[in-house]
Amino acid sequence: MTRFIELLRRELRLALRQGSDSMMVVGFFVLAVILFPFGIGPEPGILARVAPGLVWVNALLAAMLSLDRLYQGDYEDGSLELLILTPAPLEVLVAAKVTAHWLTTGLPLMAASPLLAVFLNLDATDLGVLLLTLAVGTPTLSLIGSVGAALVLGARRGGVLISLLVLPLFIPILIFAVGAVDAASHGFPWTGQLAILGAILLGAVPLGLYASAAALKHAAE
Amino acid sequence: MSLFAAENLTCVRGGRAVFARLSFSLEPGTALFLLGPNGSGKSSLLRMLAGLLRPISGRLTWAGQPISDDPEAHGARLHYVGHHDAVKPVLTVAETLHFWARLHGGDSESRVQQAMDRFAIKRLADVPGRLLSAGQKRRVNLARLIAAPAPLWLLDEPSVALDKASVKALEAAMAQHRAEGGLVIVSTHAEIDLPEATILRLDEFAAPSQVAA
């Protein structure tokens, strides 16, 4: 546990000092969502109808942006080998990386969403549900993304390859997250979809940690 | 019984056998010098001894126990210095050393200070990694050896980029480590003074060409 905290502190410190990455992700997210009212017209009814999908698709794409750097820096400067050789399971390192990734991308994306809800004419209850789906769904994005990032280590053009590997796996999250907000906006119960998102997250925790660790060990050989 | 032993190690990289049937055994306080031309497998052997690379056959034992039984315990007892220095551009020298020392389970301020003294990097303590020269980065990497104690040192070309004074500091550190019962395994092309070290010539274990992968 102390190793987890130590690794998390290092990741956050690196993220804070290298700055920009997390701001760029949020900037991309906000700009990309704002493009849609220009593209499909400012009709409030249409925007409110497509808003949950827009926010979620762009959140997925924004989360992808920072994934290829997740392990790449440590891989290139030799830190990864040393991290593998520390007397702790590699899963602890992965857990710290994923937590740091979520804190520097998932959380800022959530923070930016209320602003976008205003642009897209999403009402307050729907925004509440949207934020809940983001809270449960974005950690899963970081976990699945971590597996992709570990798998493409050492490959050329890894960033594109990660998208191809990981985006299809994000589809179930997209379906149930948008489904929950849609249901809420039509006055139907939406807790079922949220529970499924929660279940996906719980399943992704052990799978994501284990698979990332295995991929990292392979990359270091 | 020897402390650290290798039996019949064979290494295959990219379908090509690099070395075969390599064995050695080391007692506490001894050192092993790996010599051989480029491509003879010095780095691969060190990575294998660290547990990063799996031997295709043969086994490694520590005090009689195969290291593959408990890779984390093996990680706890070794320091590996490879080709890269693992120095982050935005972390200071002191932060880097404290981080690695804590991950190795022992962060005592006095040991980190001692490590910085040993490799003369104390005045760089608050300097971020991006401002360090290649030799200074290497010294930070080597200072990890002192900052957290571990009995087995695996050093791959440790003297690259070092000036003469730093090589002397490294030799002194290795001598003290051996006096305390530690093991040192070094590969190098340069002159490093390592008294009474066993010499292992990797070209003598070169595998006959075209062994099946």
Side-chain angles (χ1 to χ4, degrees), chain B residues 13-38:
Chain B
R13 297 297 279 162
R16 193 180 68 90
V18 182
F19 54 77
R21 287 185 287 284
L22 184 149
S23 304
F24 65 80
S25 73
L26 294 173
E27 311 297 325
T30 55
L32 186 66
F33 230 140
L34 306 181
L35 298 177
N38 297 137

Side-chain angles (χ1 to χ4, degrees), chain A residues 3 6 74 77 81 220, chain B residues 47 86 88 90 95 102-103:
Chain A
R3 288 206 172 83
E6 190 57 38
D74 283 334
D77 71 10
E81 291 173 349
Chain B
R47 293 170 64 80
K88 290 282 171 200
V90 293
E95 281 168 349
R102 260 183 233 134
L103 275 197

Side-chain angles (χ1 to χ4, degrees), chain B residues 71-121:
Chain B
E72 282 155 31
H74 191 60
R77 64 173 86 98
L78 70 86
H79 276 307
Y80 170 75
V81 174
H83 292 291
H84 301 290
D85 288 323
V87 173
K88 290 282 171 200
V90 293
L91 295 184
T92 68
V93 168
E95 281 168 349
T96 305
L97 285 177
H98 278 293
F99 169 72
W100 290 116
R102 260 183 233 134
L103 275 197
H104 255 274
D107 180 38
S108 73
E109 186 60 38
S110 64
R111 282 203 76 100
V112 171
Q113 292 298 330
Q114 200 185 326
M116 289 198 285
D117 269 342
R118 173 73 88 175
F119 289 98
I121 47 177

Side-chain angles (χ1 to χ4, degrees), chain A residues 77-136:
Chain A
D77 71 10
S79 303
L80 184 62
E81 291 173 349
L82 300 183
L83 289 167
I84 290 174
L85 292 175
T86 50
L90 201 48
E91 282 80 0
V92 176
L93 165 72
V94 176
K97 285 270 188 188
V98 168
T99 310
H101 182 260
W102 182 76
L103 288 173
T104 53
T105 58
L107 201 59
L109 291 185
M110 277 174 67
S113 302
L115 172 72
L116 297 175
V118 177
F119 278 112
L120 298 172
N121 191 33
L122 198 66
D123 72 37
T125 15
D126 295 356
L127 172 65
V129 180
L130 178 67
L131 285 176
L132 272 177
T133 61
L134 283 170
V136 183

Side-chain angles (χ1 to χ4, degrees), chain B:
Chain B
M1 190 177 60
S2 60
L3 185 57
F4 188 42
E7 294 166 29
N8 284 319
L9 293 182
T10 299
C11 171
V12 173
R13 297 297 279 162
R16 193 180 68 90
V18 182
F19 54 77
R21 287 185 287 284
L22 184 149
S23 304
F24 65 80
S25 73
L26 294 173
E27 311 297 325
T30 55
L32 186 66
F33 230 140
L34 306 181
L35 298 177
N38 297 137
S40 57
K42 298 186 295 294
S43 296
S44 298
L45 176 59
L46 281 168
R47 293 170 64 80
M48 205 175 261
L49 299 181
L52 287 167
L53 199 64
R54 273 175 197 284
I56 202 105
S57 71
R59 61 181 208 148
L60 285 162
T61 56
W62 182 270
Q65 295 290 318
I67 65 164
S68 50
D69 283 2
D70 192 351
E72 282 155 31
H74 191 60
R77 64 173 86 98
L78 70 86
H79 276 307
Y80 170 75
V81 174
H83 292 291
H84 301 290
D85 288 323
V87 173
K88 290 282 171 200
V90 293
L91 295 184
T92 68
V93 168
E95 281 168 349
T96 305
L97 285 177
H98 278 293
F99 169 72
W100 290 116
R102 260 183 233 134
L103 275 197
H104 255 274
D107 180 38
S108 73
E109 186 60 38
S110 64
R111 282 203 76 100
V112 171
Q113 292 298 330
Q114 200 185 326
M116 289 198 285
D117 269 342
R118 173 73 88 175
F119 289 98
I121 47 177
K122 207 166 210 170
R123 64 186 182 84
L124 302 174
D126 296 321
V127 175
R130 73 189 130 84
L131 299 179
L132 299 178
S133 73
Q136 288 169 332
K137 279 186 194 163
R138 179 43 58 115
R139 271 143 69 188
V140 173
N141 194 1
L142 290 170
R144 287 190 301 114
L145 299 170
I146 314 282
L152 175 61
W153 290 4
L154 302 170
L155 314 178
D156 196 355
E157 307 267 5
S159 61
V160 169
L162 289 184
D163 55 25
K164 274 187 185 145
S166 306
V167 174
K168 285 268 172 287
L170 173 63
E171 286 168 354
M174 291 194 293
Q176 189 187 347
H177 181 61
R178 289 171 65 190
E180 289 164 0
L183 292 179
V184 181
I185 302 180
V186 192
S187 87
T188 188
H189 290 292
E191 290 289 314
I192 297 182
D193 187 25
L194 204 58
E196 293 164 43
T198 314
I199 289 176
L200 190 71
R201 291 189 179 277
L202 268 95
D203 35 346
E204 290 171 9
F205 296 94
S209 56
Q210 301 307 318
V211 175

